[in-house]
Amino acid sequence: MTNEKLTIGIILGSTRQGRVSPQVGEWVKEIADTRGDAAYEIVDIADFKLPFLGEGTGDEPGLKAWSEKISSLDGYVFIVQEYNHSITGALKNAVDSAYKEWNNKAAGIVSYGSTGGARAAEHLRGILGELQVADVRTHPTLSLFTDFENFSEFKPAELHHENVNGMLEQVVSWSTALKSVR
Ligand SMILES: Cc1cc2nc3c(=O)[nH]c(=O)nc-3n(C[C@H](O)[C@H](O)[C@H](O)COP(=O)(O)O)c2cc1C
């Protein structure tokens, strides 16, 4: 194990035009950057132009870049939005587009939706188990009704700040521990 700083990717789970996930991801990163315990970066699925699993040639540059990016990170924070009581198709496809790269890492979830994105987050937890990703307990849940203006402008309630730090604390702790397993 080296003393290099941990790297944690903040993965934006939505890719649609007009999505709010970049606002939520930047807010998490701002809080994270004040901690000094890891190098945090935004990972935007949309940047990778991933083919739908099994439908491409397998040689797409974005697929290779995705594999390298997921592999290079020690842990993850998933920004999860609820679509039809689950995660987005884009996030599921991105998650399925790697396997070993995820193994023995830790992850936290920040979700949003009409009920805080809880149903989507719980679906993601089941998926992460299969990928041998240890998902931490503390889970900030943001409401479309009270943490967003007009469902589009992100104005988080102050109480979430502490929860984000609690989640990051656990992600950093487990990411550090799991380095010794890899
Ligand atoms: C296809 C679709 C399905 C949705 N289904 C749900 C849902 O089941 N529960 C919920 O709370 N919100 C649902 N929403 C609302 C989204 O959570 C909300 O639009 C959110 O801003 C989406 O995240 P994004 O802006 O990052 O794409 C749905 C939105 C879309 C586009």
Side-chain angles (χ1 to χ4, degrees):
M1 202 162 43
T2 67
N3 287 325
E4 272 173 38
K5 220 171 197 188
L6 281 183
T7 54
I8 308 286
I10 300 169
I11 300 178
L12 307 184
S14 59
T15 54
R16 72 176 180 96
Q17 291 282 331
R19 64 195 170 146
V20 301
S21 55
Q23 295 179 63
V24 179
E26 289 297 342
W27 169 73
V28 170
K29 186 171 185 301
E30 249 174 56
I31 298 171
D33 284 342
T34 62
R35 299 172 53 83
D37 53 2
Y40 294 92
E41 64 177 279
I42 300 278
V43 178
D44 188 350
I45 292 171
D47 288 342
F48 293 84
K49 309 268 180 287
L50 293 171
F52 196 66
L53 184 69
E55 291 191 355
T57 60
D59 292 328
E60 287 81 3
L63 202 52
K64 185 165 181 281
W66 179 248
S67 163
E68 286 170 1
K69 176 56 68 186
I70 299 309
S71 191
S72 73
L73 296 163
D74 296 308
Y76 315 98
V77 174
F78 288 93
I79 307 299
V80 173
Q81 42 297 121
E82 188 166 304
Y83 279 27
N84 294 319
H85 289 201
S86 191
I87 61 171
T88 65
L91 178 58
K92 183 65 164 64
N93 188 54
V95 166
D96 290 346
S97 295
Y99 181 67
K100 283 205 173 92
E101 297 88 336
W102 297 109
N103 294 175
N104 296 312
K105 310 265 180 82
I109 296 173
V110 175
S111 65
Y112 54 90
S114 60
T115 54
R119 293 166 293 217
E122 290 304 311
H123 278 187
L124 181 59
R125 286 186 189 279
I127 295 163
L128 294 178
E130 179 59 15
L131 292 167
Q132 300 172 58
V133 174
D135 51 304
V136 305
R137 175 185 175 276
T138 303
H139 166 200
T141 52
L142 307 162
S143 167
L144 283 176
F145 299 110
T146 54
D147 294 307
F148 293 84
E149 243 174 53
N150 300 320
F151 303 104
S152 56
E153 201 183 333
F154 186 42
K155 298 253 174 92
E158 186 53 37
L159 63 98
H160 297 302
H161 199 278
E162 191 181 331
N163 238 5
V164 169
N165 268 314
M167 177 272 296
L168 293 171
E169 189 78 37
Q170 294 175 353
V171 171
V172 166
S173 162
W174 282 12
S175 296
T176 305
L178 283 166
K179 259 193 156 184
S180 65
V181 174
R182 293 198 299 277

